[in-house]
Amino acid sequence: MIEKMMRLKIKHLFYLVVLILLLTYLSQSLFQWHLSNQISSGKKKQINNLTRILECRKYSDLTEYCLYENACLHRKSSFEYLFLFVTDNKAKDNVEFKFNGYSSVFDNFEPSDPFGNVIEPSVDKNPLPHRSMLWNARYVSTRYFDQHGTLYENECHAVLAIDVVAVQIFHWAIKVAPLFIYRYENRHNNQSLCKRFNIKILNRMQNVYRNDWQDKFLRLAANIESDEQIEYDDSKSSQNGIKCYRRLLVPGMARYIFTGPTESIEFRKEAANRHGLVYERRRVVLVLRRDRLILNKDELVKFLTTRFGADLVDVTYLDKLTFEQQVKLMSKAKLLISVHGAALTNVIFMPKLSALVEILPPYFPLSLYERIALQSYLHYFKFLTDYDPAIHNSTQFEFCANTTNIYVYKCFETWRDANVFVDMAKFSDMLKKVLEIVQD
């Protein structure tokens, strides 16, 4: 009798286990069907949530970023994206605010009708940050999603829209830097909506490529911990369709990388932790280029090695170095000397209170790297070279030397890319002033 009861209990137990497994399978299948049905129908329940601007920061130097709730991106074809701002305002429905130019045109635009007339300019300002570089943008109602399959992302994302000039490290840095500034501004905010971001990078031009410097700087600025956090748009593999984001950060740009020295101090700490840097102000670095030549560079090198000692002077072309090699070189520099160019972006890795001497061609008093240096807690000195008809011997140089506006007839580019000759007597006088601040 006891044996019979035991067999019966085991039999019942077996049926119970089978029933539990069957119910588990059915519940999972039902969940997958529900999820699939949401995706195929545009996830209407979630898309009914309207787009909201959660946080926008605008600084006086044009640094800007915005964090949105329920914003969407519609990939229509290769290199063509729509930023979708979901609204219940019928007057705005399907109104586009379009980017009509390349990097030289700032896209701080406003919604307009097909004839170019701004719609309600006093009310409907463009909701995107300055220089967002997104290709197109449109206000849409929830009806827009009835026609398209939609995926929904609950994690925090950031979208970087870049164009051809982003191959240059300066333009890449000013586009990526707002990711660091967002983290810096919210570092003590326990209520911050996003602690980390998945990054989506949109290439506006087919010939934009990425290099070691770009990749490492992005990981540093955004505190990227794994490759899965970065998604590069690839026309060969990316699928068309709509993705909506519970939280979407859209950087504009940070033209001077930092908005003040305190940010640069925190940035250096993070760079040191990630790349093993030890900041020491003890070396002199002369950066050369393969264009924009210093015609008497040998004389300049001899002067520097005589003054400081050959063992303390580094003469280099930065394009030969990896990102780690560049930042480690900069982390030891008490004095950086270079002609104008994107390589000067690396001043952000110099020890604080070091000095930059920027050698500029005549008629080219651009203050770009001066601002970057000062906001990076560095000293800055401008060395403006002289116009010399023997060197600048073309009708274009002659014309540009006699115009009062360097922004006409490509005079800006003419002087920017000109070779220079460094007057060593003048340079020696400037160096004395530099060393009054930056001691040996």
Side-chain angles (χ1 to χ4, degrees):
M1 177 67 73
I2 295 176
E3 184 178 350
K4 187 176 180 180
M5 291 179 65
M6 287 296 294
R7 285 200 300 270
L8 187 61
K9 286 183 178 180
I10 291 173
K11 187 176 181 180
H12 288 166
L13 181 61
F14 172 77
Y15 287 142
L16 180 61
V17 171
V18 171
L19 180 61
I20 291 173
L21 291 174
L22 181 60
L23 289 174
T24 301
Y25 173 78
L26 289 173
S27 64
Q28 289 178 344
S29 298
L30 182 62
F31 174 76
Q32 292 295 331
W33 174 84
H34 177 68
L35 182 63
S36 175
N37 186 58
Q38 276 191 316
I39 292 174
S40 62
S41 65
K43 291 192 177 179
K44 296 177 185 177
K45 290 183 179 179
Q46 290 179 306
I47 297 304
N48 279 337
N49 293 327
L50 303 178
T51 303
R52 291 196 306 133
I53 299 176
L54 299 174
E55 177 185 353
C56 265
R57 288 187 180 266
K58 301 180 181 182
Y59 300 84
S60 60
D61 62 358
L62 300 182
T63 297
E64 192 170 332
Y65 63 77
C66 289
L67 179 66
Y68 303 89
E69 180 180 59
N70 302 321
C72 305
L73 292 173
H74 185 181
R75 189 182 196 275
K76 303 185 72 176
S77 62
S78 299
F79 309 105
E80 184 181 3
Y81 275 85
L82 268 178
F83 175 88
L84 302 178
F85 194 103
V86 188
T87 179
D88 59 359
N89 186 334
K90 294 181 179 179
K92 289 184 179 180
D93 189 13
N94 211 35
V95 172
E96 291 189 359
F97 29 104
K98 192 172 185 179
F99 181 83
N100 293 313
Y102 296 95
S103 61
S104 61
V105 181
F106 291 92
D107 61 346
N108 198 17
F109 39 61
E110 296 172 326
S112 60
D113 62 22
F115 302 101
N117 300 312
V118 175
I119 298 174
E120 300 181 44
S122 61
V123 178
D124 295 328
K125 296 294 184 182
N126 172 24
L128 287 170
H130 183 72
R131 205 73 180 271
S132 69
M133 303 300 287
L134 288 169
W135 189 262
N136 289 309
R138 180 183 295 174
Y139 289 108
V140 296
S141 69
T142 55
R143 294 193 306 274
Y144 185 89
F145 302 93
D146 295 339
Q147 307 168 18
H148 310 279
T150 304
L151 293 175
Y152 205 91
E153 300 282 357
N154 281 313
E155 295 180 319
C156 291
H157 285 69
V159 57
L160 297 176
I162 58 175
D163 65 0
V164 66
V165 297
V167 301
Q168 187 206 71
I169 65 174
F170 164 72
H171 288 280
W172 178 266
I174 66 174
K175 189 65 190 176
V176 171
L179 297 175
F180 171 78
I181 295 172
Y182 174 88
R183 293 196 301 112
Y184 178 83
E185 292 290 355
N186 289 279
R187 67 196 185 284
H188 300 311
N189 181 9
N190 294 327
Q191 304 301 316
S192 175
L193 296 171
C194 293
K195 297 299 183 183
R196 53 170 273 175
F197 290 94
N198 293 329
I199 312 297
K200 186 176 182 65
I201 299 174
L202 310 182
N203 289 345
R204 289 182 50 201
M205 302 294 174
Q206 296 186 27
N207 57 343
V208 172
Y209 61 91
R210 52 189 183 269
N211 57 39
D212 176 64
W213 199 100
Q214 292 174 322
D215 182 67
K216 296 295 196 314
F217 184 81
L218 172 62
R219 291 170 186 271
L220 173 59
N223 194 27
I224 298 295
E225 298 173 354
S226 67
D227 292 343
E228 287 72 25
Q229 287 180 251
I230 306 176
E231 177 189 353
Y232 286 94
D233 176 55
D234 185 339
S235 60
K236 295 180 180 178
S237 61
S238 299
Q239 296 180 345
N240 295 342
I242 298 175
K243 275 192 178 181
C244 294
Y245 303 89
R246 181 64 65 191
R247 304 280 186 266
L248 184 65
L249 182 72
V250 178
M253 68 170 185
R255 184 160 180 80
Y256 306 112
I257 302 180
F258 307 119
T259 64
T262 54
E263 291 171 10
S264 73
I265 293 172
E266 183 64 27
F267 180 84
R268 288 187 182 92
K269 290 179 182 177
E270 293 193 13
N273 292 335
R274 184 176 283 256
H275 296 284
L277 304 180
V278 178
Y279 298 104
E280 299 177 288
R281 293 189 296 120
R282 60 186 180 86
R283 302 192 67 81
V284 176
V285 179
L286 173 63
V287 172
L288 301 175
R289 289 179 58 112
R290 304 183 193 285
D291 56 0
R292 305 180 194 174
L293 304 177
I294 301 175
L295 297 177
N296 59 331
K297 71 175 179 63
D298 292 340
E299 186 180 6
L300 178 57
V301 170
K302 182 179 179 180
F303 172 82
L304 293 173
T305 54
T306 300
R307 174 63 183 80
F308 296 102
D311 58 328
L312 290 177
V313 176
D314 298 297
V315 181
T316 186
Y317 294 88
L318 290 185
D319 60 355
K320 289 184 176 181
L321 306 180
T322 65
F323 176 85
E324 277 82 5
Q325 290 171 330
Q326 291 184 46
V327 299
K328 286 182 179 179
L329 177 66
M330 294 296 156
S331 70
K332 307 297 183 186
K334 71 175 180 181
L335 174 59
L336 174 64
I337 303 165
S338 176
V339 295
H340 173 83
L344 290 180
T345 307
N346 284 291
V347 301
I348 62 178
F349 298 105
M350 293 174 66
K352 66 180 182 180
L353 298 177
S354 295
L356 166 64
V357 174
E358 183 180 12
I359 300 174
L360 290 168
Y363 306 107
F364 193 77
L366 191 67
S367 61
L368 175 62
Y369 291 106
E370 177 180 3
R371 287 287 301 274
I372 292 176
L374 294 176
Q375 296 189 186
S376 299
Y377 211 164
L378 304 172
H379 301 291
Y380 175 87
F381 294 84
K382 187 192 306 286
F383 187 85
L384 196 63
T385 58
D386 297 325
Y387 170 60
D388 185 347
I391 300 172
H392 311 111
N393 53 356
S394 70
T395 54
Q396 177 68 10
F397 278 121
E398 183 179 359
F399 171 82
C400 292
N402 290 285
T403 184
T404 57
N405 185 359
I406 68 168
Y407 295 100
V408 299
Y409 301 106
K410 294 189 175 181
C411 287
F412 180 91
E413 294 82 359
T414 297
W415 290 122
R416 180 195 64 194
D417 298 330
N419 297 332
V420 298
F421 184 90
V422 176
D423 184 314
M424 295 312 303
K426 292 181 179 179
F427 189 85
S428 178
D429 288 340
M430 170 174 278
L431 189 62
K432 292 176 183 177
K433 297 177 181 179
V434 173
L435 295 180
E436 289 176 0
I437 298 174
V438 183
Q439 298 299 320
D440 292 346

